[in-house]
């Protein structure tokens, strides 16, 4: 079945980037001149997604507004002859169907995904974390979709991690299949380093089958008192219905102050209108 929908959980509190995220959702903090979330929506659309489902919360109305029309602004841009800006705004509104559902309390990623159950319905879907950007030059979703189409189960994006961060991720035990695909046999959330079944961590992109919803409904709070998606995926893995892709492309975590800064610099250095000025500024600053 073609994957048409992507769920973007954006209801977390973003405590690592306070105070910036107190009123502005962390997913709306800019990377150069575009909110983080817009890069993620563009990544989904480039992979063939037609409907974006935001799992949002009461303090995050600006997310729905950003992807909706803004007639006064469009009228002003038209009147001032700012055709390029106007075309960009309209392209964003039209590139997908946007829907949203509220997560009334941030009870964990698994709970956030469960909130999208009615909007997803009985079809496979993509999940993309709202603070992880994957560079468009090394996309991840096409690989996940390809493995889903070949094997039919849920598929995780798995990244080789250094030992010091292993206890902060969902870590998978895997068996190699053909053409780079992996069979996930076991997955554990935030294991102690000595208990980790491998160095492969689930990293911000998933294809999930609708069978995940009944499993999430019976998943009790796990690590940190949160309903963990990893715990529901573990049930699929045990039933032989979970696969993985070893992803080594460029991914940028915007969920910390340093991540926000380095992601902005990385994107700015790829922009012909910004790179020369930024390089010059860095050269002068480093010489001081
Ligand atoms: P994070 O754990 O990185 O986000 O979740 P957070 O909880 O907002 O951040 P910190 O740790 O307090 O700084 C990854 C994504 O999942 C969403 C977040 O909004 C983020 O985009 N999320 C997380 C939810 O939608 N609901 C939750 O209950 C938890």
């Amino acid at each position: 079945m073609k994957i048409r929908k992507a769920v973007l959980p954006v209801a977390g509190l973003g405590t690592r980037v306070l105070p910036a995220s107190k009123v502005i959702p962390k997913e709306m903090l800019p990377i150069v001149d575009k909110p983080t979330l817009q890069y993620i929506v563009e990544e989904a659309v480039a992979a063939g997604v037609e409907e974006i489902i935001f799992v949002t919360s009461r303090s995050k109305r600006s997310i729905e507004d950003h992807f909706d029309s803004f007639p006064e602004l469009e009228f002003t841009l038209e009147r001032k002859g700012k055709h390029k800006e106007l075309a960009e705004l309209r392209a964003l509104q039209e590139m997908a169907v946007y829907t949203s559902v509220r997560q009334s309390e941030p009870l964990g990623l698994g709970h956030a995904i469960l909130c999208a159950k009615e909007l997803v319905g009985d079809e496979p879907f993509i999940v993309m974390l709202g603070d992880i950007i994957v560079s468009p030059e090394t996309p991840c979703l096409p690989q996940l979709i390809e493995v889903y189409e070949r094997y039919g189960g849920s598929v995780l994006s798995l990244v080789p991690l250094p030992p010091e961060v292993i206890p902060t991720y969902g870590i998978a035990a895997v068996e190699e299949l053909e053409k780079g695909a992996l069979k996930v046999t076991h997955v554990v959330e935030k294991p102690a380093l000595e208990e980790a079944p491998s160095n492969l961590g689930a990293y911000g992109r998933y294809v999930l089958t609708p069978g995940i919803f009944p499993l999430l409904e019976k998943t009790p709070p796990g690590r940190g008192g949160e309903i963990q998606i990893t715990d529901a995926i573990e049930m699929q893995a045990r039933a032989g219905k979970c696969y993985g892709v070893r992803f080594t492309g460029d991914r940028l975590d915007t969920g910390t102050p340093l991540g926000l800064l380095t992601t902005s610099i990385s994107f700015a250095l790829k922009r012909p209108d910004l790179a020369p000025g930024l390089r010059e500024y860095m050269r002068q600053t480093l010489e001081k």
Side-chain angles (χ1 to χ4, degrees):
M1 188 187 243
K2 180 178 171 351
I3 299 184
R4 302 183 305 124
K5 299 181 181 181
V7 173
L8 277 54
V10 290
L13 296 174
T15 54
R16 286 168 296 164
V17 286
L18 279 169
S21 57
K22 184 179 173 197
V23 177
I24 301 169
K26 80 164 172 185
E27 298 82 3
M28 291 300 289
L29 295 175
I31 300 301
V32 187
D33 50 9
K34 224 193 249 190
T36 298
L37 202 52
Q38 186 171 333
Y39 291 92
I40 297 170
V41 166
E42 289 170 354
E43 179 194 341
V45 171
V49 167
E50 295 160 13
E51 182 175 337
I52 302 286
I53 300 168
F54 296 117
V55 181
T56 174
S57 67
R58 71 182 72 76
S59 62
K60 303 226 174 181
R61 289 206 182 91
S62 61
I63 290 178
E64 284 138 313
D65 291 348
H66 183 74
F67 295 92
D68 196 3
S69 64
F70 188 170
E72 303 93 298
L73 178 60
E74 288 171 40
F75 177 74
T76 304
L77 291 175
E78 185 123 51
R79 194 165 46 81
K80 293 192 168 175
K82 297 199 169 202
H83 302 298
K84 183 170 159 284
E85 290 81 356
L86 181 59
E88 278 173 12
L89 281 192
R90 291 202 170 135
L92 180 63
Q93 290 157 32
E94 288 159 13
M95 69 171 60
V97 172
Y98 301 102
T99 55
S100 64
V101 62
R102 288 270 182 105
Q103 184 188 25
S104 50
E105 273 181 85
L107 298 177
L109 184 57
H111 180 262
I113 294 168
L114 183 56
C115 292
K117 179 182 168 200
E118 302 305 325
L119 289 175
V120 170
D122 191 23
E123 55 184 287
F125 60 104
I126 285 167
V127 171
M128 306 170 83
L129 298 196
D131 53 359
I132 304 277
I133 296 179
V134 171
S135 168
E137 286 109 52
T138 55
C140 169
L141 295 179
Q143 296 177 53
L144 298 186
I145 292 170
E146 203 256 316
V147 169
Y148 165 74
E149 284 170 351
R150 214 164 351 132
Y151 295 101
S154 289
V155 189
L156 315 183
S157 161
L158 295 170
V159 167
L161 297 169
E164 62 275 16
V165 298
I166 283 181
T168 62
Y169 283 82
I171 304 292
V174 298
E175 289 166 9
E176 302 280 340
L177 300 171
E178 29 147 47
K179 288 197 258 166
L182 303 168
K183 175 120 197 189
V184 174
T185 54
H186 169 49
V187 56
V188 55
E189 182 66 19
K190 299 188 175 67
L193 187 54
E194 48 297 353
E195 279 156 28
S198 76
N199 68 340
L200 293 174
Y203 205 100
R205 300 291 181 266
Y206 309 75
V207 169
L208 297 177
T209 55
I212 200 74
F213 292 122
L215 299 176
L216 278 170
E217 276 164 350
K218 61 179 185 188
T219 299
R223 283 261 168 197
E226 297 191 339
I227 295 176
Q228 300 286 354
I229 188 61
T230 308
D231 294 342
I233 291 174
E234 165 68 357
M235 291 186 246
Q236 289 193 317
R238 295 249 176 232
K241 293 176 181 166
C242 185
Y243 299 86
V245 163
R246 193 180 271 103
F247 180 62
T248 52
D250 291 338
R251 67 269 164 187
L252 305 126
D253 184 347
T254 68
T256 62
L258 184 62
L260 268 176
L261 198 59
T262 51
T263 307
S264 267
I265 291 171
S266 148
F267 274 88
L269 287 173
K270 288 182 197 151
R271 289 256 303 248
D273 57 331
L274 300 175
L278 178 59
R279 277 184 205 284
E280 181 54 21
Y281 169 77
M282 285 159 95
R283 193 185 61 73
Q284 285 181 16
T285 308
L286 291 171
E287 270 172 14
K288 270 185 201 160

